[in-house]
Amino acid sequence: MRELGSKWGAPERSTRSVVMRRAAAGGSAILAGGALLALPATGGSAPSRSLDKRIFGFALQVEYLQAAFYTAAVEGGALRGEVLEFAETVADHERQHVEFFRRTLGSAAGAEPQFDFGRRTASKRAFLDAALRLENSGVAAYNGQAANLTKKSLSAIASIVSVEGRHAAWVNAIAGRQPAPRAADPGATAKVVAKRLERLGFVG
Amino acid sequence: MSRIDTQECTLEQIAATLVDVDIDGALQETAASAFPGTRAAFMRRSLGTIATAGVGGLFVGDAVAARKAMTRNDIALLRFDLVLEYLQSAFYTEAERLGKISPKTRAWVRVVGAHERSHVRALKGLLGAKAVARPAFNFRGVTSNQASFIKTAVAFEDLTAALLKWQAPRFDSRPIVAAALTLHSVEARHAASIRYLVGLKPATSAFDAPRSQRQMARLIARTRFVTSRPQVARNERPRFTG
């Protein structure tokens, strides 16, 4: 049996019972350490409701982080003008995404981890840098799982990922970067996404 | 920064403006003749093998594997996308060449045009002999007028993202789903960035709505930008036209 601990609840190939146990563990997902085992991009297990649930559980963790970050940034009071408008708008969207996944997952929804954003919300520059990473990672996370979802879940995710893409382009533009740096947005495995997000140091 | 509207522009409003882009109103092409729709019922054949990771599949050289897994339904959807990408790339290439748009807009067009041209190449590569030929276009002056160019570009990008979203759960092959999604979020980025450029809100809702292929075909037909019916490339059998 592989290491189960996963602070992101990253989907992995595991039995239903393992998944349920981990989901039940809820908040303990914030514990550090543990291998983050990603799904094969495609060609792994066929789409199924239980796989959808694991992917949604992972997406919920990413959305928790985004929603908490923007909410903290808005409340922190350091942002002005178009940066503040971006943060307020995106905070609202990410909270709606959290709600969507919590509603869809029901009792299987993991609890919100505790975050520490340090000084990342204290200045425009630090905020933009973190927001760039969060949004680009969000797009890669969803694109990486798209082909693993059942059609019904894919419809829902598709409505969210393009909004993440818009956020990403928006924050890139504010930061003076290319809003769409590539002709295709490659997906990333859950493992890679979790690593990228961990590097931000927001989770204990 | 040229503002086209201080209010938020919804997809519905923008879609409606597409109709106004043209003036002379003759020669209304029907959607059905320009873009044959896909069948209502999709084939759900189980695929023998789903080869290799589909993520970024259009661009990482596994077009052959992806092509093997394509169903007729997938082909019909991708052919529609190809026409749309032809349309976008021709639109941006013409605007860039004419040079009548603002320098900022032109810089945007240079990047986005390159993306759309690369989407054309990717889709043609994927479709192989099933690719439709490039139709002729007539943009009726829109590419040489800043205001109408912006309106149309915003509409194209928002609508293309919305169409790919509608298509996503309708593809049969998983590598194709993965590949199409890598284009989908880029079109959303384009939409957000052109909106940002002209002072519109880049993201107006937490959930972007899909737009069906039929609706798209109707809107495109109304612009009368497509002046010749897309021709089917060699070896094409009629039943693949959907």
Side-chain angles (χ1 to χ4, degrees), chain A residues 16-140:
Chain A
R16 191 177 172 81
S17 67
V18 165
V19 171
M20 298 324 263
R21 233 184 302 149
R22 184 144 38 86
S28 73
I30 57 167
L31 294 174
L36 296 158
L37 304 170
L39 288 159
T42 57
S45 26
S48 66
R49 284 178 67 183
S50 72
L51 185 53
D52 283 357
K53 212 174 248 187
R54 296 212 295 277
I55 294 169
F56 277 21
F58 175 61
L60 174 60
Q61 297 297 314
V62 175
E63 297 288 352
Y64 272 144
L65 173 58
Q66 293 182 327
F69 176 72
Y70 293 113
T71 303
V74 169
E75 287 170 358
L79 307 179
R80 299 279 179 274
E82 66 169 353
V83 183
L84 179 61
E85 189 201 351
F86 165 81
E88 284 172 343
T89 306
V90 177
D92 172 52
H93 292 173
E94 310 298 15
R95 284 194 292 263
Q96 290 187 51
H97 295 168
V98 165
E99 270 320 294
F100 167 78
F101 286 117
R102 286 186 60 88
R103 199 170 56 239
T104 309
L105 284 164
S107 59
E112 180 171 0
Q114 291 191 339
F115 301 109
D116 177 8
F117 299 115
R119 306 280 302 157
R120 289 294 203 146
T121 58
S123 75
K124 174 185 168 183
R125 198 172 166 176
F127 167 79
L128 287 177
D129 179 68
L132 282 169
R133 291 163 201 250
L134 281 178
E135 296 305 327
N136 286 320
S137 298
V139 173

Side-chain angles (χ1 to χ4, degrees), chain B residues 72-238:
Chain B
R72 288 175 194 174
N73 168 58
D74 291 339
I75 291 167
L77 293 169
L78 291 171
R79 283 159 59 94
F80 188 92
D81 293 342
L82 178 56
V83 174
L84 194 54
E85 296 287 356
Y86 277 140
L87 176 67
Q88 287 190 309
S89 65
F91 183 69
Y92 294 133
T93 302
E94 187 175 297
E96 193 184 338
R97 284 196 185 139
L98 290 174
K100 301 278 176 59
I101 47 179
S102 78
K104 256 192 177 174
T105 308
R106 204 170 173 204
W108 181 87
V109 165
R110 207 168 288 136
V111 172
V112 174
H115 288 175
E116 310 299 9
R117 289 189 288 272
S118 112
H119 294 172
V120 165
R121 285 194 297 276
L123 287 168
K124 280 174 84 171
L126 197 57
L127 284 163
K130 304 292 192 302
V132 284
R134 181 186 293 273
F137 297 107
N138 180 348
F139 296 111
R140 301 165 197 275
V142 172
T143 47
S144 57
N145 177 292
Q146 174 74 14
S148 50
F149 172 81
I150 291 289
K151 263 191 186 179
T152 310
V154 171
F156 269 171
E157 298 299 341
D158 274 335
L159 291 168
T160 305
L163 169 76
L164 291 171
K165 194 183 326 297
W166 180 87
Q167 288 183 336
R170 289 171 170 81
F171 285 114
D172 296 313
S173 145
R174 291 167 70 193
I176 301 292
V177 168
L181 265 282
T182 68
L183 304 189
H184 167 247
S185 53
V186 169
E187 300 293 353
R189 283 176 187 261
H190 292 169
S193 62
I194 185 76
R195 284 170 158 272
Y196 180 82
L197 195 71
V198 300
L200 291 172
K201 198 163 194 173
T204 55
S205 145
F207 302 92
D208 276 340
R211 248 299 148 166
S212 78
Q213 199 160 298
R214 185 178 295 267
Q215 289 174 299
M216 278 298 285
R218 209 171 286 142
L219 286 167
I220 293 168
R222 280 198 212 152
T223 65
R224 292 179 299 105
F225 287 165
V226 183
T227 55
S228 74
R229 187 186 167 133
Q231 294 300 301
V232 170
R234 65 196 163 81
N235 298 334
E236 176 58 12
R237 281 175 289 179

